[in-house]
Every structure is written in structure tokens, then in C-alpha cells.
């Protein structure tokens, strides 16, 4: 048999049996996720009255109210803007750390990875409570500034949009760093060396070599962080206070305080659809950008 005339290697199993392996997980997801969503959608079509609470109906008035009421519109816009800002800030702050972690070759690399993972071992509520103890009126930050004489009275750090951003960044940074780091680590180092040998500066090399090749990982990390920020509950609720409104705390209040299950269900579906549309747009943009390259 001459070289190149060998028969093509066939997979050990056919494609159809391999596809059948997806059936159990798909059915589980459909039951565990699809059934509650279907029930929630049915609830969102019911009527609500402060006196009789939820009454069975088939109406889209709840969706119309959410989409036309300026109060709900402001909450949705605030949620999207905060999520986008948190994602972009996390990307800018995480990129140097991700690159350094990916190219690190010392024996301390495992320790650095563990330290990056360490915040994920603590619950989100516990971490948020720590920020409250640090940034409160009588918190460690204000007390330190007062004792140093840098301020004459406690400054308002808690219950601001900036504090919510800090809390979201603290939650998102490990995911952003580790996802991008894994992508950069798979890029051959000799490509960087070739670019530097050809006269490119480190910044140009990073922009023209690393960024295009790491783009799929960057897009994945951004989508992951965006989903977390869009659906965050404890961080905006505890650090933003009752006056700072985002979608998840508002949905919770509709169900628990107002007992408006149809309105809360409609809000939940609008949040879900908005998140899916923004993620789909980002994915299409990333795919088209990769195709052009």
C-alpha cells in the first residue's frame, strides 16, 4: 500500500450513537429548566388586582405595563448600563493579570491560581457583607480616613452606584481572569517573540497578536460576566440600598412584598429576553469579527 492511500480512519462509534448520548442531559435540562419557565410564562399572562391578587386570564397587560411604564423602563436601562460598565471595567482590569498569569513559569503560578480562585470559595452574600463593613459610615475606610485627618466627617460610600460597581467587579474578576488566562496560555509564545523581533513594541504586539487570537476567550468571559451582572441580586440590594433599583431585586419585591406574581413573572421574562438578545448580538459581532480576520 503506497503512502497516502491508507483508508480513512473511522470513528470507533458512529455519529448517531454519539448524538444519542446528548439525550439524557437535554431531557434533564428541558424538565428542570423548561417546565418552570413555562409555568412562569403562564403566570405572567394572568391578571393582578391589589384586592383579589392573581386571577386566571390570558392577557399581555403585564408586559405592556412593564414596557411602557417609565419607572420600569428606568430600572431596565439602569440594569443594562451597570452590567455593561461592570463587564468593560472587569475586562480592562483583568487583562494584565490574565496575561501575566498565562505567561508565568515560576513555581508560584499554582499559588497565584489558587489565590485567584479563593474569592469563589466565599459566598456572594458574605463577600458583600464584607464590603459593607469596609465602606459603611462607621466602616474601616471612613474610620481610617478620619484618624488620618484626611476628612472631617464620614463620606457617603455605601448606597451609591460606584459601590455597586465595586461589588460586581469583585464578583466577576476571578471568572474574567481565569477564562482569558486559559485562552492566552494556549497561544504559542513564539508568535509573540516573532512580533517583537520584527520590531513591534510590546503594546503593538499585544494588540495585533494576542488580542485577535484570544478574542474567543475574551468574548466568552465578557458574556459570562455580563450574565452575572444582569442577574445580580444580593450585591445591588445590599450595596445599592433601597433607592438603587435593578431588575433582580425588583422582581423579588414584586413576588414577596407586592404579591404581584403576574407582574414579577413578566419582569423576569423581560430580563431573560433582554439578556438573551444582548448576548446574541455580542456573539454575532464576535463571530463576524473573527470571520473578517
Amino acid at each position: 500500500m503506497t503512502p497516502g492511500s491508507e483508508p480513512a480512519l473511522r470513528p470507533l462509534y458512529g455519529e448517531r450513537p454519539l448524538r444519542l448520548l446528548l439525550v439524557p442531559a437535554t431531557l434533564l435540562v428541558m424538565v428542570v429548566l423548561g417546565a418552570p419557565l413555562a409555568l412562569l410564562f403562564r403566570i405572567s399572562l394572568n391578571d393582578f388586582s391589589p384586592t383579589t391578587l392573581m386571577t386566571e386570564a390570558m392577557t399581555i397587560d403585564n408586559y405592556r405595563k412593564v414596557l411602557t411604564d417609565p419607572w420600569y423602563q428606568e430600572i431596565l436601562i439602569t440594569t443594562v448600563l451597570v452590567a455593561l460598565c461592570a463587564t468593560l471595567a472587569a475586562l480592562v482590569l483583568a487583562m494584565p493579570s490574565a496575561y501575566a498569569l498565562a505567561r508565568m513559569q515560576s513555581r508560584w503560578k499554582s499559588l497565584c491560581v489558587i489565590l485567584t480562585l479563593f474569592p469563589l470559595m466565599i459566598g456572594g452574600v458574605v463577600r458583600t457583607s464584607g464590603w459593607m463593613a469596609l465602606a459603611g459610615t462607621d466602616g474601616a475606610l471612613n474610620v481610617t480616613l478620619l484618624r488620618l485627618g484626611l476628612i472631617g466627617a464620614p463620606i457617603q460610600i455605601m448606597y451609591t452606584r460606584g459601590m455597586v460597581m465595586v461589588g460586581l467587579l469583585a464578583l466577576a474578576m476571578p471568572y474574567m481572569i481565569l477564562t482569558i488566562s486559559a485562552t492566552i496560555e494556549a497561544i504559542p509564545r513564539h508568535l509573540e517573540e516573532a512580533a517583537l523581533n520584527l520590531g513591534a513594541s510590546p503594546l503593538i504586539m499585544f494588540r495585533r497578536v494576542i488580542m485577535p487570537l484570544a478574542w474567543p476567550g475574551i468574548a466568552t468571559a465578557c458574556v459570562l460576566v455580563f450574565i452575572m451582572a444582569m442577574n445580580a441580586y444580593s450585591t445591588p440590594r445590599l450595596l445599592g440600598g433601597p433607592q438603587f433599583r435593578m431588575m433582580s431585586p425588583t422582581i423579588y419585591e414584586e413576588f414577596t412584598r407586592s404579591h404581584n406574581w403576574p407582574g414579577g413573572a413578566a419582569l423576569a421574562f423581560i430580563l431573560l429576553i433582554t439578556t438573551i438578545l444582548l448576548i446574541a448580538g455580542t456573539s454575532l459581532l464576535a463571530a463576524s469579527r473573527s470571520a473578517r480576520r
Side-chain angles (χ1 to χ4, degrees):
M1 184 179 293
T2 60
S5 62
E6 295 86 351
L9 295 177
R10 296 182 179 179
L12 184 60
Y13 302 102
E15 292 185 1
R16 185 173 180 181
L18 289 177
R19 293 196 192 102
L20 293 177
L21 296 176
L22 298 174
V23 174
T26 304
L27 292 177
L28 180 63
V29 171
M30 291 177 61
V31 172
V32 175
L33 183 62
L37 284 177
L39 178 60
L40 194 66
F41 179 71
R42 177 63 188 90
I43 292 174
S44 69
L45 300 177
N46 290 333
D47 275 327
F48 173 77
S49 172
T51 55
T52 59
L53 299 182
M54 184 173 65
T55 56
E56 189 171 348
M58 290 291 290
T59 177
I60 60 172
D61 288 342
N62 297 307
Y63 292 94
R64 186 182 296 113
K65 178 182 178 181
V66 171
L67 294 175
T68 57
D69 192 327
W71 190 71
Y72 288 114
Q73 291 176 354
E74 183 180 357
I75 293 174
L76 181 59
I77 292 173
T78 299
T79 303
V80 174
L81 290 178
V82 168
L84 287 174
C85 291
T87 302
L88 292 176
L91 176 61
V92 172
L93 294 175
M95 187 62 72
S97 300
Y99 180 79
L101 187 63
R103 294 309 187 208
M104 186 180 296
Q105 293 182 328
S106 70
R107 59 181 178 178
W108 301 106
K109 180 173 182 178
S110 299
L111 178 61
C112 292
V113 173
I114 293 173
L115 291 177
T116 306
L117 285 169
F118 185 75
L120 302 180
M121 303 177 188
I122 305 173
V125 177
V126 177
R127 279 181 286 175
T128 303
S129 301
W131 285 111
M132 295 176 67
L134 177 67
T137 304
D138 299 324
L141 185 57
N142 268 315
V143 171
T144 302
L145 293 176
L146 285 170
R147 290 182 178 179
L148 292 175
L150 299 177
I151 57 176
I155 57 178
Q156 182 66 36
I157 305 175
M158 285 289 298
Y159 308 133
T160 60
R161 182 170 299 191
M163 197 62 219
V164 174
M165 289 290 298
V166 170
L168 291 176
L169 284 175
L171 292 173
M173 287 294 287
Y175 297 97
M176 186 72 79
I177 292 174
L178 294 174
T179 304
I180 298 177
S181 174
T183 304
I184 295 178
E185 195 169 1
I187 299 174
R189 188 184 293 269
H190 65 78
L191 296 179
E192 301 178 32
E193 296 172 353
L196 294 174
N197 289 335
L198 291 173
S201 65
L203 184 60
I204 296 297
M205 178 275 297
F206 188 84
R207 183 173 64 87
R208 300 294 295 272
V209 177
I210 299 298
M211 288 291 289
L213 295 175
W215 179 250
I218 293 173
T220 301
C222 289
V223 167
L224 178 61
V225 171
F226 180 78
I227 293 173
M228 292 175 55
M230 279 285 290
N231 296 275
Y233 171 76
S234 60
T235 300
R237 187 72 180 88
L238 296 176
L239 299 182
Q243 302 301 322
F244 184 80
R245 294 283 179 174
M246 287 183 67
M247 287 292 285
S248 291
T250 303
I251 293 170
Y252 177 79
E253 291 178 1
E254 289 288 335
F255 277 104
T256 57
R257 294 187 180 181
S258 304
H259 301 287
N260 184 3
W261 283 48
L267 275 174
F269 264 92
I270 289 175
L271 176 61
L272 175 64
I273 293 171
T274 303
T275 305
I276 291 175
L277 291 177
L278 290 172
I279 291 173
T282 304
S283 301
L284 290 175
L285 179 63
S288 63
R289 184 172 179 177
S290 299
R292 287 198 301 268
R293 288 174 175 172

